[in-house]
């Protein structure tokens, strides 16, 4: 098979026949000589907007491949490399009890999926409810302000990513194609196969919910078992090795091997683990606000037109270093999305963003985050969590229990408007006008203001007076890391920290990849 790069088409004329024709021209053969063609990558080139192109990388089979390769070999024409994920379980250690996976976010779900395919029949426990019941609880919360601390945007089947944009891009290096395996599993379970080659793949909260159910059903078919509304509340350790776990404070389950994939919001679980002296460290994270603009303003900047029929809603990614040396960046940008109340603790308010697959609301939103380190909040593992909690309490009280919002002009001037202006708000969960400056220490406010003004030079209108800010974007990554050794094991034997909550991932794909890595650690040790 031959890989051909830099096949450039107009976005309006990018059907497979056109791609095949351009590929054959590049190879100096007739398109009839190409017997199969598969797109491997697709990216967008908007440097000459409004004329926008796709750039494809394709894999083709054709007659006389060796001859064609010899004639054309260059950076753009090469033998298709083997990019298949490959792992064989070699574990020999026998365990009496089946592996327990805690948490059904992407980390826990993918670890369980791989374990079940490898013949391990894991027991999966989840503090929240099954996805359909969870959706009802979240909608009740958004409408009626009744928070269920175990069934919300952070907790429940599918984890924090279930109510998300379902963006799948990650910056993690992937020499063993674990990320590719993650995408293949998503596709096997109902995702659009285009995610296998798109530059910035996304699924959407609406589609993700069904995919999560399909993954669950595959695990059950392979012999796995799920228990919902089942919270890990304690662990019993004997000779520095896990012996059993306690759930819901009232049931003990024997345990030899545990995947701990509880996400960045399981603060009670972190406290419990600390009380058991598991090795854990404070780590840097980021904190800030979410900003909303009209989607057409972003489209105009990225595509040169307010609407693009083929490309849909545009995204952006911006970074800035302030005069005092702080990093500020946009994160989890949701084109055509909603800003959502994603709180999980009483009287504390956190927000995030999500989109449907169609990304069709009138606003773009994105987190605007300032990086902070243990120097800002303290070196003890609970210090970062306590810092988040203080800000979330301020956000709750300023918004009188609802999402505190402020127009950008008011944020700069410390004033409070009583109505939105040219940007119509798009929220899930109600809001109240407030002075968001009061949520943060001054270095965060100053960094955000300096960065928003600088971003206005990159995207015209980003710093518009009417742009809507909401607070507080506090659950961007975990404030702690649970240490694990080269075999993936924590300082307590048999416990395998996994995913974002343990500090090994940041986002859906990297959490799922870490789930697969933890499966590999376990399958290298334990016999199925
Ligand atoms: C609204 C929103 C939008 C997002 N959008 C995106 C996006 O578009 N793209 C992206 O890459 N990332 C996004 N993220 C981040 C992404 O969801 C997380 O990075 C990812 O879910 C982390 O996966 P995880 O499996 O490590 O943890 P989580 O997904 O947090 O899963 C942890 C699970 O463990 C369960 N749990 C916790 N404690 C216990 C316990 N003691 N006992 C039993 N169960 C427990 C929880 O209920 C939860 O289901 C978004 C997050 C939110 C909140």
């Amino acid at each position: 098979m031959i890989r051909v790069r830099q096949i450039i088409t107009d976005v309006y004329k990018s059907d497979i026949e056109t791609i095949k024709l351009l590929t054959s021209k590049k190879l100096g053969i007739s398109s009839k000589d190409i017997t199969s063609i598969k797109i491997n990558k697709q990216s967008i080139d908007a440097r000459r907007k409004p004329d926008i192109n796709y750039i494809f990388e394709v894999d083709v089979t054709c007659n006389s491949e060796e001859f064609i390769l010899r004639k054309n070999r260059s950076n753009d024409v090469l033998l298709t490399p083997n990019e298949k994920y490959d792992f064989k379980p070699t574990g020999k250690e026998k365990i009496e009890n089946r592996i327990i996976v805690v948490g059904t976010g992407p980390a826990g779900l993918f670890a369980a999926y791989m374990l079940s395919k490898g013949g391990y029949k894991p027991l999966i426990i989840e503090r929240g409810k099954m996805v359909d019941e969870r959706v009802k609880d979240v909608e009740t919360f958004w409408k009626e302000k009744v928070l269920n601390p175990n069934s919300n945007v952070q907790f429940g089947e599918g984890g924090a990513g279930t109510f998300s944009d379902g963006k799948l891009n990650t910056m993690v290096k992937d020499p063993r194609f674990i990320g590719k395996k993650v995408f293949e599993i998503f596709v096997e379970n109902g995702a659009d196969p285009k995610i296998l080659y798109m530059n910035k793949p996304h699924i959407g909260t609406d589609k993700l919910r069904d995919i999560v159910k399909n993954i669950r059903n595959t695990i059950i078919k392979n012999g796995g078992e799920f228990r919902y509304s089942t919270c890990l509340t304690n662990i019993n350790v004997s000779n520095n090795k896990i012996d059993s776990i306690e759930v819901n404070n009232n049931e003990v389950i024997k345990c030899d091997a545990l995947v701990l994939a509880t996400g960045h919001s399981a603060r009670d679980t972190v406290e419990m683990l600390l009380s058991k002296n598991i090795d854990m460290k404070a780590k840097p994270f980021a904190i800030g606000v979410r900003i909303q603009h009209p989607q057409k303003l972003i489209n105009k900047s990225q595509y040169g037109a307010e609407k693009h029929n083929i490309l849909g809603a545009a995204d952006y990614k911006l970074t800035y270093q302030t005069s005092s040396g702080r990093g500020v960046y946009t994160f989890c940008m949701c084109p055509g999305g909603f800003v959502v109340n994603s709180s999980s603790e009483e009287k504390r308010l956190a927000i995030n963003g999500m989109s449907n697959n169609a990304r069709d609301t009138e606003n773009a939103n994105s987190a605007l985050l300032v990086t902070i380190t243990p120097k800002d909040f303290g070196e003890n593992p609970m210090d970062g969590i306590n810092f988040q909690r203080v800000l979330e309490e301020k956000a709750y009280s300023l918004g009188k229990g609802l999402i505190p919002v402020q127009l950008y002009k008011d944020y700069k001037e410390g004033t409070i408007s009583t109505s939105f202006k040219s940007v119509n708000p798009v929220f899930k969960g109600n809001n109240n006008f407030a002075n968001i400056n009061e949520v943060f220490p001054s270095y965060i406010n100053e960094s955000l203001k300096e960065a928003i003004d600088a971003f206005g030079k990159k995207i015209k209108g980003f710093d518009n007076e009417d742009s809507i800010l909401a607070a507080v974007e506090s659950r961007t990554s975990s404030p702690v890391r649970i240490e694990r050794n080269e075999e993936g094991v924590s300082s307590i034997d048999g416990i395998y920290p996994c995913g974002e909550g343990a500090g090994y991932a940041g986002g859906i794909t990297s959490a799922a990849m870490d789930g697969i890595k933890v499966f590999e650690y376990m399958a290298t040790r334990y016999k199925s």
Side-chain angles (χ1 to χ4, degrees), residues 494-512:
I495 297 185
Y496 289 76
C498 181
E500 183 152 334
Y504 296 95
I508 295 170
T509 301
S510 60

Side-chain angles (χ1 to χ4, degrees), residues 47 69 103 115 144 201-202 209 255 397 427 460 492 495 521:
R47 282 173 298 183
L69 266 173
L115 284 164
E144 298 165 23
H202 106 111
R209 297 169 193 181
C255 177
S397 103
F427 284 99
K460 195 162 176 276
I492 299 175
I495 297 185
Y521 290 132

Side-chain angles (χ1 to χ4, degrees), residues 181-228:
K181 181 71 185 168
V182 166
F183 288 3
E184 284 167 6
I185 294 173
F186 273 128
V187 171
E188 277 163 36
N189 288 283
D192 186 336
K194 280 187 181 163
I195 67 166
L196 295 173
Y197 60 78
M198 284 171 80
N199 183 30
K200 291 181 184 166
H202 106 111
I203 293 183
T205 179
D206 45 345
K207 306 270 177 199
L208 260 172
R209 297 169 193 181
D210 286 334
I211 293 169
V212 164
K213 286 187 220 167
N214 292 340
I215 294 180
R216 175 225 295 160
N217 291 335
T218 308
I219 295 170
I220 293 172
K221 223 183 284 159
N222 292 334
E225 185 194 346
F226 283 81
R227 286 182 59 182
Y228 298 92

Side-chain angles (χ1 to χ4, degrees), residues 103 105-107 126-127 155-156 160-161 163-164 166-167 232 262 269 353 500 507-508:
E126 165 57 57
R127 75 193 297 159
F155 294 155
F163 297 89
S164 81
K167 276 177 291 300
L232 172 75
T262 50
T269 314
E500 183 152 334
I508 295 170

Side-chain angles (χ1 to χ4, degrees), residues 102-108 125-128 153-161 163-169 230-232 261-264 266 269 332 340 342 352-354 498-501 506-509 511:
V102 191
T104 60
I125 63 166
E126 165 57 57
R127 75 193 297 159
V153 174
Q154 310 291 348
F155 294 155
E157 188 177 27
F163 297 89
S164 81
D165 175 58
K167 276 177 291 300
L168 300 180
N169 39 316
T230 303
C231 184
L232 172 75
T262 50
H264 57 37
T269 314
C332 188
V340 303
S342 53
N352 213 302
M354 77 174 198
C498 181
E500 183 152 334
I508 295 170
T509 301

Side-chain angles (χ1 to χ4, degrees), residues 49 63 68 81 93 100 102 104 131 138 140 154 200 239 241 253 262 271 312 406 411 497 507 520:
K49 52 183 167 272
N63 302 322
I68 292 167
E93 188 176 325
I100 300 179
V102 191
T104 60
V131 70
V138 170
T140 304
Q154 310 291 348
K200 291 181 184 166
N239 295 327
K241 189 176 180 319
I253 307 174
T262 50
E271 272 174 314
Q406 193 170 26
Y411 181 54
E520 290 183 352

